[in-house]
Amino acid sequence: KQEVTQIPAALSVPEGENLVLNCSFTDSAIYNLQWFRQDPGKGLTSLLLIQSSQREQTSGRLNASLDKSSGRSTLYIAASQPGDSATYLCAVSGWVAGTALIFGKGTTLSVSS
Amino acid sequence: AAGVIQSPRHLIKEKRETATLKCYPIPRHDTVYWYQQGPGQDPQFLISFYEKMQSDKGSIPDRFSAQQFSDYHSELNMSSLELGDSALYFCASSTRNTEAFFGQGTRLTVV
């Protein structure tokens, strides 16, 4: 059974710092991995999708990498801003169409000004 | 761009009542997911549909059922509601090679 772990559970940084969020998964046979952002009481916003054949994806100040063989992904946030404060979740999908996205418990990020 | 639409956004029900949540996926998305998220919890997978057929099932109570209709919208039916069913319920849709997009959720409060 696929399990997804995110470390750290919480992170506080001053504005301007670069930071890395970690996601690991137990079964490397994933179809893709997706990073989401969630603000309190709100829906999940997709940040980046990495297909299993890809190594990384970039969007603005965000860069996500995937090492499928070691079961790891990282989300790198450059020059953090207070508006980046949110919970970041990673989720993996399997090869069978329509199977569940399996989520980690998330990393709650707080960026202070 | 069209997003995933969920209705209602908020719902208050009494114990033992029934609730129906609706989800309208992004056009041409072939997969719909339902998730439950309690306060401070990660999303818990309930059920999914691929091309209108149930494709995966998670920790969905027997009191809950779901279906996807010919127009691809989906409904989550919840009966004999309990206080512990109070949560945010999310619907998401995707295709095989695209991101999963989530709706804004339905906040269900059982009193």
Side-chain angles (χ1 to χ4, degrees):
Chain A
K1 177 185 173 186
Q2 178 74 271
E3 293 184 0
V4 179
T5 303
Q6 291 188 245
I7 295 174
L11 183 62
S12 293
V13 300
E15 182 177 7
E17 273 204 9
N18 302 324
L19 57 101
V20 174
L21 308 181
N22 297 291
C23 171
S24 61
F25 44 94
T26 54
D27 184 351
S28 62
I30 63 169
Y31 190 75
N32 60 41
L33 182 146
Q34 197 168 349
W35 283 92
F36 293 89
R37 168 189 172 135
Q38 186 175 32
D39 294 289
K42 304 295 185 182
L44 283 76
T45 300
S46 177
L47 297 174
L48 289 163
L49 172 73
I50 309 179
Q51 301 287 359
S52 61
S53 58
Q54 297 175 321
R55 299 283 298 191
E56 65 178 320
Q57 283 287 334
T58 298
S59 176
R61 293 182 294 109
L62 305 179
N63 176 277
S65 67
L66 174 64
D67 183 343
K68 209 172 67 160
S69 61
S70 67
R72 293 180 182 178
S73 176
T74 61
L75 179 66
Y76 175 82
I77 303 177
S80 57
Q81 303 171 357
D84 294 330
S85 299
T87 296
Y88 292 80
L89 296 135
C90 70
V92 298
S93 69
W95 280 88
V96 178
T99 52
L101 295 172
I102 306 298
F103 280 86
K105 294 191 180 299
T107 294
T108 299
L109 173 65
S110 175
V111 181
S112 56
S113 55
Chain B
V4 177
I5 306 297
Q6 291 188 246
S7 68
R9 293 292 309 277
H10 302 273
L11 193 57
I12 300 175
K13 290 286 185 178
E14 295 189 353
K15 284 193 304 185
R16 293 179 289 278
E17 282 194 320
T18 298
T20 297
L21 279 54
K22 296 185 179 182
C23 170
Y24 297 86
I26 293 172
R28 292 179 292 282
H29 277 197
D30 53 25
T31 303
V32 167
Y33 310 87
W34 285 97
Y35 285 83
Q36 176 192 60
Q37 188 176 34
Q41 303 295 314
D42 54 301
Q44 295 297 308
F45 173 69
L46 294 177
I47 195 166
S48 61
F49 295 88
Y50 174 66
E51 285 293 349
K52 294 172 281 186
M53 299 287 289
Q54 181 181 313
S55 53
D56 199 0
K57 197 170 181 180
S59 51
I60 183 169
D62 292 340
R63 300 176 289 108
F64 295 6
S65 65
Q67 56 183 323
Q68 188 174 24
F69 295 86
S70 58
D71 65 352
Y72 287 87
H73 94 272
S74 179
E75 296 184 1
L76 179 65
N77 297 292
M78 310 160 70
S79 63
S80 303
L81 287 169
E82 303 174 354
L83 295 178
D85 296 329
S86 296
L88 268 171
Y89 289 83
F90 290 108
C91 170
S93 73
S94 71
T95 66
R96 200 69 183 108
N97 294 308
T98 64
E99 302 160 82
F101 291 93
F102 278 70
Q104 288 302 299
T106 294
R107 182 175 296 279
L108 173 66
T109 303
V110 182
V111 297

